[in-house]
Amino acid sequence: MLKKSAVFALAGIAASAAISVVSAPRAAADANGCTWSKGGVLAHNCINVRGSGTYVESVASQFYFGQPASIATDNVCDRQHEIAYTPQGGQRMVQSVNLTGCLAAAVVYTGGDYAVVNYGRNFEANSTVCTRAKNSATTDWTEWACETIEG
């Protein structure tokens, strides 16, 4: 079973860019959460882990850019994500996902820039799986968003 461990969970985002942050309940199978991040007002980095128990089907890293003032002119390029995890019986690994092409800032602001990696295997019980991102708008890595794999 996956257990909630991210600092914040995104409850909703309105068109006015208002955001509600609440503590998320414990997840029965899939788990997700968000943490505030670099990249402007309301920027946040999210993780979504799909699976059950120690079996992880996939992990998604999603970064929401938070500077609406730059929507009209800036593109978000050099999009990079990292996923840190521990495979069952293995050592901690960090997988890099480098996405090609640029996105309009408005797309990243409203829908996020995301990467999904399919694993289809067991992760180490009681370990954490974490994601972070950076791009031409942030230039630095976001804070890690993490979930705990329950065994």
Side-chain angles (χ1 to χ4, degrees), residues 1-5 25-33 47-52 58-60 129 146-149:
M1 174 182 307
L2 298 170
K3 184 174 109 182
K4 178 79 192 126
S5 68
R26 185 172 163 162
D30 297 342
N32 58 69
I47 182 172
N48 184 304
V49 181
R50 292 186 45 140
S52 180
S58 64
V59 176
V129 58
C146 298
E147 293 293 337
T148 298
I149 305 297

Side-chain angles (χ1 to χ4, degrees), residues 39-123:
V41 177
L42 303 179
H44 51 286
N45 187 50
C46 301
I47 182 172
N48 184 304
V49 181
R50 292 186 45 140
S52 180
T54 60
Y55 181 81
V56 174
E57 183 180 316
S58 64
V59 176
S61 171
Q62 190 164 19
F63 171 68
Y64 289 90
F65 184 59
Q67 293 178 315
S70 63
I71 286 175
T73 59
D74 293 346
N75 284 329
V76 177
C77 304
D78 191 25
R79 300 160 33 230
Q80 302 171 54
H81 295 260
E82 286 188 340
I83 301 171
Y85 67 98
T86 305
Q88 188 173 44
Q91 298 205 358
R92 187 96 171 139
M93 302 177 74
V94 176
Q95 182 172 3
S96 296
V97 180
N98 297 315
L99 303 172
T100 59
C102 298
L103 295 175
V107 171
V108 180
Y109 179 69
T110 58
D113 175 24
Y114 63 94
V116 178
V117 177
N118 294 313
Y119 287 100
R121 64 177 150 180
N122 289 308
F123 283 12

